[in-house]
């Protein structure tokens, strides 16, 4: 894990500290200590344990009905994550501005990692990505990338969905692999409880949340609800099954889906990420917009 600290100086701003963050205006106190191995003076701060977690919500853990009546159950739902960072910001970060995060402290996951959002039973807690030592304070912004996995069960995939879909007397096992890359920058977690408040010597968590009802819709919501009008559903995918099984990747989906359906799929994949119910700005292929 890398920790970045800053100090208030009247006229100076160090670009090496900024790391793509557009301001160094923090007034957070730091403590000087001596590096006994090299004799250099380094900055330290009181720390706690910050847990980075990923959550596919009940839709993933318990199954759900798509907007077009397919009961979807996931056996595995792999997401490959990289450059996962939590920030203590100088003022709230609004992802709708598409501005860089103005942070006084950064804590990060040190490696690429694949998580299975369907891991555990129906009531399992959000999946632990990694727990790191981090400076105490409020972590109120989060960013991460989804990149193709370099190894493991989802090798080559950014997102890999494995499960079954059933409607009436028909059941379709499916494996859907997505290899597109995405980058997300989010503000503070929004939910029943607030997250990211880390006291020295204590533990707190931040959460990357994935809304799969954006892709498939929600059969429990009205047909004209925005969650359904903007979703692909499962029926267009079911139509691609061969011998009762659906195996697809992004290339085959682009070739086989109707252009409008493929465009909807791309849009819903791009808007997959949230922080609880909080929105993120997204980027794919160098172009960004808001969810």
């Amino acid at each position: 894990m890398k920790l970045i600290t800053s100090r208030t100086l009247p006229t100076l701003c160090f670009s090496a500290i900024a790391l793509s963050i557009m301001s160094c205006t923090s007034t957070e106190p730091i403590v000087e200590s001596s590096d006994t191995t090299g004799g250099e003076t380094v900055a330290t701060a009181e720390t706690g344990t910050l847990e980075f977690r990923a959550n596919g919500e009940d839709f993933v853990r318990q199954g759900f009905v798509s907007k077009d009546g397919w009961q979807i159950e996931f056996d595995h739902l792999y997401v490959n994550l990289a450059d996962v960072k939590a920030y203590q910001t100088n003022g709230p970060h609004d992802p709708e501005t598409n501005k860089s995060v103005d942070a006084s402290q950064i804590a990060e996951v040190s490696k690429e990692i694949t998580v299975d959002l369907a891991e555990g039973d129906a009531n399992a807690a959000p999946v632990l990505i990694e727990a790191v030592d981090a400076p105490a304070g409020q972590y109120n912004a989060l960013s991460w990338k989804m990149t193709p996995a370099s190894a493991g069960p989802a090798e080559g995939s950014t997102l890999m969905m494995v499960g079954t879909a059933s409607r009436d007397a028909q059941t379709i096992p499916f494996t859907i692999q997505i290899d597109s890359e995405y980058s997300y920058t989010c503000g503070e977690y929004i939910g029943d409880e607030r997250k990211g408040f880390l006291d020295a010597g204590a533990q707190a968590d931040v959460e990357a949340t994935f809304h799969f009802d954006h892709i498939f819709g929600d059969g429990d919501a009205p047909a004209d609800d925005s969650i359904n009008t903007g979703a692909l559903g499962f029926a267009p995918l079911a139509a691609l099954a061969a011998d009762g099984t659906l195996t697809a990747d992004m290339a085959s989906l682009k070739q086989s889906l109707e252009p409008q359906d493929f465009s909807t799929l791309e849009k819903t994949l791009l808007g997959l990420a949230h922080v609880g119910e909080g929105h993120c700005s997204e980027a794919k292929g160098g172009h960004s917009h808001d969810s």
Side-chain angles (χ1 to χ4, degrees):
M1 180 204 69
K2 301 176 184 177
L3 303 179
I4 299 176
T5 56
S6 62
R7 70 183 75 243
T8 301
L9 293 178
T11 59
L12 298 181
C13 178
F14 295 99
S15 62
I17 293 176
L19 293 180
S20 300
I21 299 165
M22 304 306 295
S23 173
C24 349
T25 57
S26 170
T27 57
E28 278 223 281
I30 60 175
V31 179
E32 298 288 352
S33 66
S34 177
D35 181 348
T36 57
T37 58
E40 299 178 358
T41 300
V42 297
T44 63
E46 291 188 302
T47 65
T49 300
L50 185 66
E51 294 184 344
F52 290 83
R53 291 188 173 270
N55 189 4
E57 303 185 301
D58 290 345
F59 287 103
V60 168
R61 292 185 293 266
Q62 299 177 11
F64 65 102
V65 177
S66 69
K67 74 172 191 176
D68 41 21
W70 287 86
Q71 175 68 42
I72 298 174
E73 305 283 347
F74 291 107
D75 298 319
H76 300 286
L77 210 169
Y78 299 110
V79 178
N80 193 65
L81 305 172
D83 293 338
V84 186
K85 298 178 182 179
Y87 307 86
Q88 296 182 27
T89 67
N90 298 309
H93 175 69
D94 181 0
E96 294 185 2
T97 65
N98 277 323
K99 293 182 179 179
S100 299
V101 180
D102 177 15
S104 58
Q105 300 281 9
I106 303 175
E108 69 179 271
V109 175
S110 59
K111 58 187 178 182
E112 168 193 319
I113 187 167
T114 301
V115 297
D116 184 357
L117 297 176
E119 179 180 285
D121 61 23
N123 299 308
V127 179
L128 179 66
I129 302 170
E130 188 172 337
V132 305
D133 289 334
Q138 180 190 1
Y139 290 87
N140 54 352
L142 189 67
S143 69
W144 69 91
K145 295 178 181 177
M146 291 170 57
T147 60
S150 57
E155 183 175 357
S157 296
T158 298
L159 170 66
M160 182 173 175
M161 297 178 277
V162 182
T164 57
S166 303
R167 189 176 69 178
D168 301 327
Q170 187 178 14
T171 297
I172 299 177
F174 62 81
T175 300
I176 302 171
Q177 295 176 273
I178 307 299
D179 61 3
S180 302
E181 297 190 20
Y182 305 95
S183 179
Y184 302 100
T185 303
C186 316
E188 185 176 357
Y189 176 91
I190 297 175
D192 293 335
E193 59 180 334
R194 301 183 72 185
K195 293 181 178 289
F197 291 86
L198 181 61
D199 295 328
Q203 178 178 298
D205 70 291
V206 290
E207 178 184 299
T209 315
F210 299 87
H211 288 193
F212 284 89
D213 53 340
H214 283 214
I215 300 176
F216 299 107
D218 182 359
D220 290 334
D224 59 355
D225 190 286
S226 60
I227 197 64
N228 288 324
T229 57
L232 175 66
F234 192 82
L237 300 169
L240 307 181
D243 299 324
T245 300
L246 172 62
T247 302
D249 58 18
M250 209 61 174
S252 66
L253 291 170
K254 184 175 183 179
Q255 181 179 12
S256 302
L257 285 172
E258 293 292 331
Q260 183 176 348
D261 288 337
F262 184 74
S263 177
T264 298
L265 175 62
E266 285 194 305
K267 186 180 298 184
T268 58
L269 287 167
L270 187 58
L272 188 65
H274 292 70
V275 278
E277 295 300 323
H279 286 186
C280 305
S281 62
E282 312 99 0
K284 176 178 179 286
H287 302 284
S288 63
H289 65 90
D290 298 323
S291 63

